[in-house]
Amino acid sequence: MATTVLLAAPRGYCAGVERAVDAVERAIAKHGAPVYVRKQIVHNLHVVRDLESKGAVFVEQESEVPAGAVVVLSAHGVAPEVYANSAARDLTVIDATCPLVTKVHLEARRFADDDRTIVLIGHAGHEEVVGTTGQAPERTVLVQTPAEARVVELDHPDRVSYLTQTTLSVDETNEIIDILRERFPSIEGPPRDDICYATQNRQDAVKELARRADVVLVIGSDNSSNSKRLAEVSRDLGTPAYLVDDETEVDPAWLAGAEVVGVTSGASAPEWLVDRMLSWLASQGATTVEEIRLAEESMRFSLPPGVRSIPLSPN
């Protein structure tokens, strides 16, 4: 078993996740339980269970929320029809959509208003992609891979724009964009990259881990896009990586023969899961923890309207 643990930084909660989880807790403090949450507020099993224990009720659709109740919309964003359906049911809506996702939604509407076809780079079925597509469904074409980018056919190739899901692999996304630029020379992108700062920073940090560690453990849930990308980035560099919800899912055989273990966590994983992982690794013989910090993060987002002035009750 390894004696050294390399701990990535930045890791864990991004500003959008912190804001979304905070919004649910403050909504419960203001309105009392139950407070309904459409979809998982963020893609992490432990976060969902913790909020359930405090009075959150997670539902798949706003139609499942009792008329007149409080509903929090997840950080991943929604299509416009969700707001309309919520208004029709007289729901009190607290919108926890990450502001960086909202930025993509605004870009989609702007491109659509300009009579452009939108190539959306992302993963089919992911809640963020569903919400972004819903801004202009008749004008949006989904591309998931470089192979798809090479063959996608568009009706008006001279009026094309692209947008991306915020939690993608930076390297693969750049490859797709390069292919699209080659095929559609007049393609227009957003003023700034859509992939969020936290996704970029965590992928940069895991690259450094992969270069120095024998194996990498990524703390995050299987439905977390950004967490899955971290494991993929490490594997692409030739270092085995495993995505786990917590330390109980680690197979000690993964660590056999490893001298250095890298540890990181996805943007929806709370820091206390990292602490648990480090304690478990110490119990397995790790004696040294070295933090590898590649960037400082100071981004903070204001809370959604409706909960900004609500203090949290002590746990």
Side-chain angles (χ1 to χ4, degrees), residues 272-285:
W272 56 266
L273 289 175
V274 175
D275 294 338
R276 276 177 39 175
M277 180 67 76
L278 295 179
S279 295
W280 182 81
L281 289 170
S283 75
Q284 301 299 302

Side-chain angles (χ1 to χ4, degrees), residues 94 124 160 176 205 236 286:
I94 297 168
V160 180
I176 292 173
D236 286 346

Side-chain angles (χ1 to χ4, degrees), residues 173-247:
T173 301
N174 286 336
E175 181 183 355
I176 292 173
I177 291 170
D178 287 344
I179 293 168
L180 292 173
R181 287 193 185 283
E182 183 177 341
R183 295 194 60 213
F184 309 104
S186 63
I187 194 169
E188 181 179 332
R192 290 179 296 169
D193 288 346
D194 289 333
I195 292 180
C196 85
Y197 76 95
T199 297
Q200 174 81 63
N201 288 345
R202 280 149 190 73
Q203 289 181 23
D204 288 346
V206 85
K207 286 179 181 179
E208 187 62 22
L209 285 191
R211 294 184 186 105
R212 298 177 55 177
D214 300 304
V215 62
V216 171
L217 301 176
V218 179
I219 303 170
S221 291
D222 189 59
N223 63 338
S224 167
S225 176
N226 78 85
S227 299
K228 291 176 78 170
R229 301 294 85 73
L230 293 177
E232 290 173 1
V233 166
S234 178
R235 293 179 197 130
D236 286 346
L237 290 174
T239 302
Y242 301 93
L243 177 65
V244 294
D245 270 302
D246 55 47
E247 77 286 353

Side-chain angles (χ1 to χ4, degrees), residues 50-64:
D50 181 57
L51 292 174
E52 284 177 333
S53 73
K54 295 175 179 178
V57 176
F58 290 86
V59 297
E60 283 299 301
Q61 302 296 340
E62 64 281 1
S63 58
E64 300 172 48

Side-chain angles (χ1 to χ4, degrees), residues 70-119:
V70 178
V71 63
V72 182
L73 305 181
S74 82
H76 308 103
V78 298
E81 64 189 36
V82 174
Y83 298 105
N85 294 342
S86 299
R89 297 183 62 75
D90 196 28
L91 303 182
T92 297
V93 175
I94 297 168
D95 189 353
T97 301
C98 174
L100 298 180
V101 174
T102 299
K103 175 181 85 74
V104 180
H105 288 186
L106 295 173
E107 290 163 348
R109 291 179 217 158
R110 178 173 66 85
F111 286 144
D113 288 344
D114 195 30
D115 201 28
R116 304 181 74 86
T117 297
I118 301 164
V119 176

